[in-house]
Amino acid sequence: MWGKRADVIVRTEAPFNAEPPPTLLAANEITPVEAFYARNHGLFPDIAPGQWRLDVGGLVDTPMTLTLDRLTTGFDHHTVVATLACAGNRRAELLRARPIPGKDPWEHGAISTAAWCGVRLADVLDAAGVYRRDGLHVEFLAPDIAAEARPAQAYGSSIPLEKAMSHEVLLAWQMNGQPLPRAHGGPVRAVVPGYIGARSVKWITAVTVRDHPSHNYFQEVDYRILPPDADPDTAAVGDGIPLSRLPLNCDILAPTGGDRIGAGEVVLRGWAMAGDGQGIGRVDVSIDGGHTWRQAQLHTARSKWAWSLWSLSVDVVPGPLSITARAWDDTGMTQPESPASLWNPRGYGNNAYSRVDVRVM
Amino acid sequence: MWGKRADVIVRTEAPFNAEPPPTLLAANEITPVEAFYARNHGLFPDIAPGQWRLDVGGLVDTPMTLTLDRLTTGFDHHTVVATLACAGNRRAELLRARPIPGKDPWEHGAISTAAWCGVRLADVLDAAGVYRRDGLHVEFLAPDIAAEARPAQAYGSSIPLEKAMSHEVLLAWQMNGQPLPRAHGGPVRAVVPGYIGARSVKWITAVTVRDHPSHNYFQEVDYRILPPDADPDTAAVGDGIPLSRLPLNCDILAPTGGDRIGAGEVVLRGWAMAGDGQGIGRVDVSIDGGHTWRQAQLHTARSKWAWSLWSLSVDVVPGPLSITARAWDDTGMTQPESPASLWNPRGYGNNAYSRVDVRVM
């Protein structure tokens, strides 16, 4: 199913959900295709490129049906380096505070970065004569059936028209210079940089402009931050805060929790990313539980939509070692300290300080 | 100097710095002019409206000098309800973690809301033929001399051109329907909603488009988040993260810390505001130290640039009572928990959970 399958941590086989090990993420600003995380709600649809069609409709003057040939020849091509992250990335830390039944315990790896090539969604919507008024939303639909949805339904979601018209949002058919693999949404997927991965709909077959957010289960019910005392099984449609922009966040990728490492100099590595295209101002790292902080070296991000990898060399002595990292964005804002206080019934949006405990031998 | 002077807490008389008591803030979505917080770095300039001039220059095709008559008759008038907040608001909570010499211990009140009337800065810049390219900044200068600056200099700052061209940024001569008082920047001030108050330059006399941020002390040196171990007295030009957008934040305004309140039903009140025009998704309040949370009633904000007041009725029993509040924005992001972890050498940007301790009698 994944062809050349990297050394990934498989969470479920069907639907296929898997994350790369953190050290592999740390070693590459652009994640290799075969290691890119997989978050799916249904089985992969099998759409031959020649059979693929995209219906563009709703609040537009000229509804269109595009073939892959027309999509790739009718509009300018653009490449955007963008990090995608699942809203459930780092859920495992929330689980340590309190269980979250029925949700995968993603560790550090439900995040990856690729160079996506395709056309701007804005250009396609302009060609269809999209209505330009406030309060519109663009719905994406795909044919993969999500059994977990109530009722079971094809996967879908939506983004505000304002975001859909921004230059970074693509309909992409290439990933790191290769044709988009079926496992990552081929022939064509949406790529919505700066938003939770759930909005970058794979195997996209319909783009519909509406005067309301999508009624799809994954927009209207799931992918929402419920209050801590809410019951997700009885939550009503529209309860909770719908997720859209990724928050300021960071993580420690090397070493990994539970590692045994040698005393002396060790290079700590990780990533940081600010919300919706903001920059990172600083990454602080503490090896004394937050009493003192040192500033990590920030590597230049490949684009404003990509993570910044960081590293810091520290000297460590034998014994237990707790490493904490936090990012500040370029407006001077930082992250919440503790995953426990971010606990929510579906386990989304953990952007607390990253902490990793290792033993120095 | 303040004419009808409300019951404000004066921090310093010259320059004049004062904050209204929290209960007064809680009682008014629009803060009365005579109670609006005052944050000044120099003495008020005394500029007669007929003598006021605004020089618009730098990277523009047609530099201009505007009189008040030309400003008020030459451009469309707009009113924006906007909350201004000092970057040092809630500094008192940071001081409890560690001292911050030479900075005022603002409590809850370095924040206020007004209806500002003026012209759009964008319209004035367009009339001057502003260059439209990436990376430009708009500098504001005023004649009030700040003795604390090194070297002593007139107050100034800058904002990115992209922000300057947005509809909410005004050159304002009215506040809550009254001519702008000298104490609040009359005859004319900049109003930059969503940014720290320091960018809403009072008594503005020059607007200059530059290819770099202002070199003024308050842009280049002060109003920055330094790392916790930095020494502000030896920090170099450009050190730290320059503050711009206000972060997601909230506060408890009633009751006030140290209050003694009666047992039974008590209405808790406060404000919440998200970053740069985002909405508030939810306000949680805990009276058991964060073990359980209840959702406050959110009052509709007067504009996307104004705070949302909130209230929650709770039943309380005699004994010590600790109240905690936190806000979530409409993207599902919340605040850091503890002011101690946000401590920074100049004491800016405290957007931790708000906590108030009272005694129930």
Side-chain angles (χ1 to χ4, degrees), chain B residues 270-302:
Chain B
W271 63 266
M273 195 169 159
D276 203 37
Q278 291 291 126
I280 289 293
R282 200 172 86 212
V283 172
D284 293 343
V285 178
S286 176
I287 55 173
D288 61 7
H291 291 291
T292 62
W293 297 92
R294 297 174 57 183
Q295 281 75 65
Q297 187 193 343
L298 268 175
H299 306 235
T300 306
R302 293 291 185 97

Side-chain angles (χ1 to χ4, degrees), chain A residues 14-359:
Chain A
F16 187 65
N17 286 294
E19 59 181 305
T23 46
L24 193 155
L25 285 177
N28 300 281
E29 290 202 288
I30 304 287
T31 314
V33 170
E34 64 274 15
F36 202 99
Y37 83 97
R39 173 73 186 103
N40 294 293
H41 293 275
L43 303 181
F44 302 164
D46 192 359
I47 310 172
Q51 302 299 316
W52 179 82
R53 296 290 182 277
L54 181 72
D55 290 319
V56 181
L59 301 173
V60 300
D61 287 328
T62 315
M64 309 187 298
T65 298
L66 297 174
T67 61
L68 186 58
D69 185 59
R70 185 151 164 228
L71 187 78
T72 56
T73 60
F75 303 92
D76 289 343
H77 294 192
H78 296 273
T79 297
V80 175
V81 177
T83 298
L84 299 189
C86 177
N89 190 36
R90 305 183 57 203
R91 180 183 285 138
E93 299 163 57
L94 300 178
L95 294 174
R96 282 167 210 137
R98 202 167 134 194
I100 301 174
K103 294 284 186 183
D104 289 325
W106 298 103
E107 294 271 359
H108 306 274
I111 181 169
S112 299
T113 302
W116 308 96
C117 179
V119 301
R120 287 181 179 151
L121 176 59
D123 291 346
V124 172
L125 289 170
D126 273 336
V130 60
Y131 296 7
R132 297 302 293 264
R133 47 175 215 246
D134 287 345
L136 299 188
H137 297 260
V138 179
E139 180 182 58
F140 304 136
L141 284 178
D144 52 321
I145 302 297
E148 74 188 86
R150 292 177 208 158
Q153 59 198 273
Y155 188 83
S157 73
S158 62
I159 63 174
L161 177 61
E162 188 181 1
K163 177 71 176 177
M165 297 305 286
S166 63
H167 284 180
E168 67 273 12
V169 178
L170 300 181
L171 296 169
W173 59 81
Q174 273 194 356
M175 179 181 183
N176 297 355
Q178 303 171 30
L180 192 64
R182 190 176 158 213
H184 293 293
V188 178
R189 71 178 298 172
V191 175
V192 185
Y195 270 42
I196 62 166
R199 309 307 179 213
S200 289
V201 173
K202 287 177 272 199
W203 314 290
I204 189 168
T205 54
V207 169
T208 312
V209 182
R210 300 197 181 277
D211 60 5
H212 56 76
S214 172
H215 291 317
N216 190 278
Y217 175 82
F218 295 97
Q219 186 74 39
E220 202 167 51
V221 178
D222 206 330
Y223 289 117
R224 286 171 174 256
I225 302 277
L226 292 169
D229 56 338
D231 178 354
D233 292 328
T234 60
V237 162
D239 280 358
I241 304 170
L243 290 160
S244 55
R245 303 211 273 191
L246 289 165
L248 172 66
N249 210 341
C250 79
D251 206 357
I252 299 163
L253 297 174
T256 306
D259 275 0
R260 286 158 184 266
I261 62 175
E265 187 187 354
V266 56
V267 179
L268 314 177
R269 296 183 188 282
W271 63 265
M273 196 170 158
D276 203 39
Q278 290 292 125
I280 290 292
R282 201 172 84 213
V283 172
D284 293 342
V285 178
S286 177
I287 55 172
D288 61 6
H291 291 291
T292 61
W293 298 92
R294 296 174 57 182
Q295 281 76 64
Q297 188 193 342
L298 267 175
H299 306 234
T300 306
R302 293 291 185 98
S303 86
K304 68 183 290 199
W305 304 106
W307 59 14
S308 297
L309 295 184
W310 56 261
S311 59
L312 180 69
S313 175
V314 295
D315 274 306
V316 297
V317 295
L321 177 69
S322 181
I323 306 160
T324 308
R326 67 178 180 190
W328 299 73
D329 74 12
D330 59 9
T331 73
M333 190 175 75
T334 190
Q335 303 171 232
E337 292 99 309
S338 153
S341 64
L342 294 176
W343 190 94
N344 62 91
R346 291 199 183 94
Y348 291 132
N350 178 14
N351 74 326
Y353 288 12
S354 173
R355 287 173 222 260
V356 159
D357 294 310
V358 299
R359 178 157 286 277

